[in-house]
Amino acid sequence: MTDPTTDSAGNTEDAAAARASLETLRTEIAKAVVGQDPAVTGLVVALLCRGHVLLEGVPGVAKTLLVRALASALELDTKRVQFTPDLMPSDVTGSLVYDTRTAEFSFQSGPVFTNLLLADEINRTPPKTQSSLLEAMEERQVTVDGTPRTLPEPFLVAATQNPVEYEGTYPLPEAQLDRFLLKLTIPLPSREDEIDVLTRHASGFDPRDLHAAGLRPVAGPADLEAARAAVARTTVSTEITAYVVDICRATRQSPSLTLGVSPRGATALLAAARAWAWLTGRDYVTPDDVKALALPALRHRVQLRPEAEMEGVTADSVINSVLVQVPVPR
């Protein structure tokens, strides 16, 4: 019989090694991407929670490069799909192809069969094609001609989008937005960071060649599995669970919103806070962990009233207001 004490010690060592490996991601990705530490952390949290990430920012702020650098540093298979108005669902999921030699149909897998799918500018394609990702994101499988096909593990969709006020964009439907664990905003760089970017390019940096930039794998699927097991052992008190519920229920009462956070959103916030707590070296969740992940976990799950939007109210400002109003457990 296996000694439980030995098992526990082994799990602790594996978790510590996995955390150390994941902590080096920031340093490694910084070889290619300047000043996007919060986005890197958000992507790692999503991987630990088996969630998906929506990256929003104006064109040219390294959203695509960030995802490619993450895949390279984690030694994950990655594929990129450029979403365009004429992209068909089968271009993402794959389709049955007739083989004239065998006179039979065979399945040709689409780019969704990968570990990290970069859905570039997802809001430039019509809703029909956007929805082709729903089954893959939720069920982690693709059904073609009635046959379900399981996707690889780990599997994460990192979708980039330009703000919807930009020309030629289609707002994502609420059902699809709710499938994303986090929505991360990628800001324009500071003056110092932008100078650093230009200096690197002047020195010969090529964003299409990450290997030449010195980017190397520092973690892998085994580290992710050990980390996920450790996150699952992270303690969540009854008070913290109630705090998450109270925050989400408060959004449903906000006069600035027509749509508040659903129970799925509450589950997402708790999962993200749990992963963040473990990443910061604790085996229990605090109210500060919940607050730290509230904006990225909830901002895409609420819908503003038109009159509030006209007055300059934003989803972030509503959520921040809720965080101030909801009593914090002691």
Side-chain angles (χ1 to χ4, degrees), residues 102-115:
T102 62
E104 293 179 350
F105 285 94
S106 60
F107 178 69
Q108 183 173 333
S109 61
V112 75
F113 286 86
T114 187
N115 296 127

Side-chain angles (χ1 to χ4, degrees), residues 163-187:
V164 293
E165 64 266 20
Y166 277 72
E167 185 178 355
T169 59
Y170 301 80
L172 295 176
E174 288 75 12
Q176 186 168 359
L177 280 173
D178 211 32
R179 296 305 197 279
F180 287 99
L181 178 77
L182 304 175
K183 178 182 177 182
L184 306 175
T185 56
I186 310 297

Side-chain angles (χ1 to χ4, degrees), residues 76 81 91 107 141 152 173 199 208 313 320:
L76 296 177
V81 179
D91 295 331
F107 178 69
Q141 67 178 26
T199 301
R208 290 172 290 275
V313 177
N320 280 326

Side-chain angles (χ1 to χ4, degrees), residues 140 186 244 263 280 282 288-289 302:
R140 297 181 180 274
I186 310 297
V244 171
T280 52
R282 282 179 281 101
D288 285 342
D289 297 324
V302 299

Side-chain angles (χ1 to χ4, degrees), residues 72-296:
S72 180
L74 283 174
E75 206 169 11
L76 296 177
D77 181 42
T78 182
K79 292 178 182 174
R80 174 180 177 272
V81 179
Q82 179 66 51
F83 280 71
T84 57
D86 60 348
L87 191 75
M88 299 297 292
S90 59
D91 295 331
V92 178
T93 60
S95 59
L96 293 176
V97 178
Y98 183 73
D99 190 335
T100 55
R101 293 173 297 177
T102 62
E104 293 179 350
F105 285 94
S106 60
F107 178 69
Q108 183 173 333
S109 61
V112 75
F113 286 86
T114 187
N115 296 127
L116 203 163
L117 177 67
L118 174 56
D120 221 350
E121 296 186 306
I122 191 173
N123 61 336
R124 288 201 179 278
T125 199
K128 180 179 180 180
T129 303
Q130 291 175 5
S131 65
S132 67
L133 284 175
L134 285 177
E135 182 187 14
M137 293 170 68
E138 189 68 19
E139 308 297 335
R140 297 181 180 274
Q141 67 178 26
V142 167
T143 301
V144 176
D145 197 35
T147 303
R149 294 172 170 84
T150 304
L151 294 171
E153 182 63 37
F155 173 70
L156 178 143
V157 174
T160 71
Q161 73 168 13
N162 299 324
V164 293
E165 64 266 20
Y166 277 72
E167 185 178 355
T169 59
Y170 301 80
L172 295 176
E174 288 75 12
Q176 186 168 359
L177 280 173
D178 211 32
R179 296 305 197 279
F180 287 99
L181 178 77
L182 304 175
K183 178 182 177 182
L184 306 175
T185 56
I186 310 297
L188 289 166
S190 66
R191 181 175 182 273
E192 292 72 19
D193 285 343
E194 196 162 0
I195 290 173
D196 191 358
V197 170
L198 266 64
T199 301
R200 292 186 183 196
H201 280 264
S203 301
F205 171 71
D206 183 357
R208 290 172 290 275
D209 189 354
L210 296 179
H211 184 78
L215 208 65
R216 301 289 184 272
V218 294
D223 295 303
L224 284 176
E225 280 306 309
R228 286 171 173 178
V231 169
R233 295 191 297 270
T234 302
T235 304
V236 181
S237 67
T238 304
E239 292 78 12
I240 291 295
T241 303
Y243 182 50
V244 171
V245 169
D246 290 344
I247 289 172
C248 295
R249 291 180 68 86
T251 64
R252 302 169 203 163
Q253 310 299 322
S254 172
S256 298
L257 301 177
T258 58
L259 179 68
V261 178
S262 69
R264 179 189 285 152
T267 302
L269 175 55
L270 183 60
R274 205 175 187 186
W276 171 245
W278 179 81
L279 277 174
T280 52
R282 282 179 281 101
D283 60 358
Y284 58 92
V285 181
T286 68
D288 285 342
D289 297 324
V290 176
K291 290 180 179 180
L293 272 298
L295 285 179

Side-chain angles (χ1 to χ4, degrees), residues 302-316:
V302 299
Q303 193 171 80
L304 290 167
R305 293 186 181 278
E307 56 270 28
E309 199 166 3
M310 291 177 64
E311 292 172 1
V313 177
T314 65
D316 283 13

